[in-house]
Amino acid sequence: MSQKTTGDVIVDSLIHHGVDTVFCIPGAHMYDFNDALARRSDQIQTIHTRHEQGAAYMAYGYAQTSGKAGVYSVVPGPGVLNSGAALCTAYGANAQVLCITGNIMSHLIGQGRGQLHELPDQLATLKGLTKHADRINHQSEAAPKMAQAFQAMASGRPGPVAVETPWDIFGQAGPAPEHYKAPPFKPTLNPQHIEQAGALIAKASRPLIMVGGGARHAAAEVLALARHLNAPVTSHRSGKGIVPADDPLALDLVAAYDYWEDCDLLIGIGSRLELQHMRWRWQPPHLKTIRIDIDPTEMVRLKPDCALVGDAADAAGALREAIPGSTANRTAALKTLKENARKKHETVQPQMAHWDAIRAALPRDGYVVEEVSQMGFTGRFGFPVYEPGHYVTCGYQDNLGFGYNTALGVKVANPTKAVVSVSGDGGFLFGLQELATAMQFGLGVIAIVFNNGAYGNVLRDQNTVYGGRVLGAELQNPDFVAVARAFGMTAQRVTTAKELQSTLESFIKADAPALIEVPVEQGSETSPWTFLHPAPYA
């Protein structure tokens, strides 16, 4: 029987599970694993980044838009901690991200001897950031523990996982094992609950379907159900594009809020329903709720009138088959809601002018990665999306610095599609160093940096709520165009939405790394929060 090292077995397992890319930064603890990757470069590519957070966010962007696991590898200790924000993002956004890391020598773990990159309890740290984390203690454990990690990552509510291996174990050799895939767990729908949901639907006159990230794979089934019920569909950000924005039944969150006033049935599919229950802060009288979610704990966090625990596609399909179609005709009413919402969007300037320019330049199947910024907040209601997963967000973490790095991972997963990163100046500087990665690997992401010289939301709150006492919100920035050109990147500054559109069109056509800086007068941006946190109805 042939002999293989633990590093070889891990790489074999990655390939066996369909992984074709690893984002990484090499280091001493990982040498034997890195060498195993290098010897299999014909089957799995490695993209090395300039910061561990960048590697993890690229894996996140890859996972969210490829339908496959996003894998990254970093050294233990500071490498793991540097990637921690991305693991938080992956956990909050239910992304299938796998962290592969090392540890100190196996016989020194837990002794506190002050070894290179030692943490007091790294495995416990990883368990606090992921859905599942484990340690490979011997070469013979590598294949089964990798299979368990992939199973955990895809079972039920997806989420990030981590596997650590001590420094000396990566190079440990042993018999080459058999590789296997452990099938992911998926709960079985309860037919009685389908009947209960059908009874609630039969009584409803104004249903609303709310979709979240858990329904991205179920776009066809969701749309079929919506048309069967003649029910409008809305989303916040992760669910954008599940029903195309130009479909007659699609409502952005501004239009949906107006519909909400008389809604009598909310059907949540793969959504925490945060929009309705936390942001809108008001419930229509006699409202009933049906929830479809693969995670049974969601039914405890927010108890519905009817809980359908199962896969979104399975449940939406079963529900459509179990109930008669609706004869209600809401086409004209929904059209009016959408037209009125668009007029409201246009009051948020200059953000909406810029979003309109981006939408006009971007192909229908292009990807946008939002960043936490005045543009990002506005895009959640003002930017139309036509395919599921093509508007990539950071979920509820709302963390600065994820945007550009994530967009690079999206481009790796979708090399023939246009990918645009929309950032503020504050967030973009968190990942500026990855301009080097974009250039080295030819990743044609177009970064659009809206530069208002501030953490705009913080500055607005300090001025309006705290009497103008400004602390840490005003920023001194570099010349972003000059910085990008220093990396060898094409870059241009534009001052109008028209210039933004034409420049973006030319950069998308070139399909090369590029940056566009858009100066914005500080304090000139209309607050989008009127629509993100609307006041309750009087």
Side-chain angles (χ1 to χ4, degrees), residues 244-267:
D246 53 0
D247 189 281
L249 292 175
L251 297 181
D252 63 58
L253 62 87
V254 176
Y257 182 67
D258 290 338
Y259 180 90
W260 178 245
E261 184 174 8
D262 298 315
C263 179
D264 59 358
L265 177 65
L266 175 63
I267 305 173

Side-chain angles (χ1 to χ4, degrees), residues 50-51 53-54 57 85 371 399-405 423-434 455 475 480:
R50 306 307 291 267
H51 192 281
Q53 190 175 99
Y57 275 130
E371 180 76 90
N399 42 324
L400 285 168
F402 105 101
Y404 182 65
N405 298 340
S423 302
D425 50 303
F428 184 72
L429 270 171
F430 279 54
L432 179 71
Q433 69 283 343
E434 301 306 339
Y455 294 125
L475 307 174
F480 288 106

Side-chain angles (χ1 to χ4, degrees), residues 502-517:
S502 61
T503 302
L504 181 56
E505 287 172 347
S506 65
F507 284 1
I508 289 173
K509 185 176 181 180
D511 193 23
L515 180 144
I516 302 171
E517 181 183 357

Side-chain angles (χ1 to χ4, degrees), residues 206-498:
R206 292 263 296 180
L208 173 66
I209 299 173
M210 171 70 184
V211 292
R216 280 200 301 264
H217 69 290
E221 292 82 1
V222 168
L223 184 55
L225 176 63
R227 287 179 175 162
H228 192 64
L229 301 177
N230 281 309
V233 182
T234 193
S235 63
H236 182 194
R237 43 185 170 176
S238 296
K240 286 170 73 73
I242 290 174
V243 171
D246 53 0
D247 189 281
L249 292 175
L251 297 181
D252 63 58
L253 62 87
V254 176
Y257 182 67
D258 290 338
Y259 180 90
W260 178 245
E261 184 174 8
D262 298 315
C263 179
D264 59 358
L265 177 65
L266 175 63
I267 305 173
I269 307 179
S271 169
R272 295 183 179 90
L273 300 182
E274 179 235 10
L275 190 70
Q276 287 79 17
H277 286 271
M278 295 183 67
R279 291 180 180 266
W280 289 355
R281 305 191 303 276
W282 179 84
Q283 298 297 307
H286 315 301
L287 179 73
K288 300 294 184 182
T289 302
I290 298 170
R291 295 196 69 185
I292 296 173
D293 204 288
I294 203 164
D295 184 356
T297 60
E298 277 299 314
M299 309 308 180
V300 178
R301 294 187 184 111
L302 182 64
K303 189 174 182 179
D305 295 283
C306 181
L308 300 180
V309 178
D311 176 78
D314 294 345
L319 196 55
R320 184 182 64 83
E321 293 175 2
I323 56 179
S326 172
T327 58
N329 187 347
R330 301 185 178 92
T331 303
L334 296 181
K335 183 180 179 182
T336 298
L337 286 172
K338 294 170 80 160
E339 291 171 347
N340 291 339
R342 173 63 198 184
K343 292 175 183 177
K344 294 177 182 179
H345 297 172
E346 290 175 355
T347 66
V348 184
Q349 297 295 348
Q351 297 99 298
M352 277 305 305
H354 290 133
W355 274 122
D356 288 344
I358 294 169
R359 182 67 274 175
L362 187 70
R364 186 177 177 91
D365 63 354
Y367 288 85
V368 163
V369 182
E370 69 154 37
E371 180 76 90
V372 179
S373 64
Q374 297 307 297
M375 280 293 293
F377 297 139
T378 305
R380 294 172 191 179
F381 58 83
F383 183 74
V385 182
Y386 306 115
E387 296 188 32
H390 284 235
Y391 185 86
V392 184
T393 85
C394 52
Y396 63 71
Q397 289 295 341
D398 260 355
N399 42 324
L400 285 168
F402 105 101
Y404 182 65
N405 298 340
T406 294
L408 294 176
V410 173
K411 186 64 175 179
V412 173
N414 304 274
T416 64
K417 304 296 185 183
V419 179
V420 173
S421 164
V422 177
S423 302
D425 50 303
F428 184 72
L429 270 171
F430 279 54
L432 179 71
Q433 69 283 343
E434 301 306 339
L435 293 173
T437 304
M439 292 303 298
Q440 183 164 1
F441 291 94
L443 305 178
V445 171
I446 295 100
I448 308 177
V449 182
F450 290 86
N451 181 4
N452 62 6
Y455 294 125
N457 223 53
V458 176
L459 183 62
R460 179 189 293 117
D461 288 344
Q462 289 178 347
N463 282 327
T464 60
V465 182
Y466 294 96
R469 293 182 293 278
V470 175
L471 176 67
E474 295 179 318
L475 307 174
Q476 180 167 334
N477 290 316
D479 181 330
F480 288 106
V481 171
V483 169
R485 289 174 178 170
F487 281 94
M489 184 177 290
T490 300
Q492 188 169 328
R493 184 175 294 106
V494 302
T495 57
T496 67
K498 184 177 180 180

Side-chain angles (χ1 to χ4, degrees), residues 41-110:
S41 61
D42 60 327
Q43 293 175 277
I44 192 165
Q45 71 169 331
T46 54
I47 294 179
H48 57 269
T49 65
R50 306 307 291 267
H51 192 281
E52 289 92 356
Q53 190 175 99
Y57 275 130
M58 289 179 208
Y60 171 77
Y62 182 97
Q64 289 292 73
T65 58
S66 69
K68 298 188 288 187
V71 181
Y72 76 94
S73 172
V74 293
V75 297
V80 166
L81 295 177
N82 280 342
S83 74
L87 282 178
C88 288
T89 304
Y91 189 90
N94 311 315
Q96 295 189 42
V97 170
L98 168 59
C99 167
I100 297 176
T101 188
N103 206 326
I104 62 175
M105 294 290 184
S106 56
H107 63 286
L108 295 174
I109 293 175

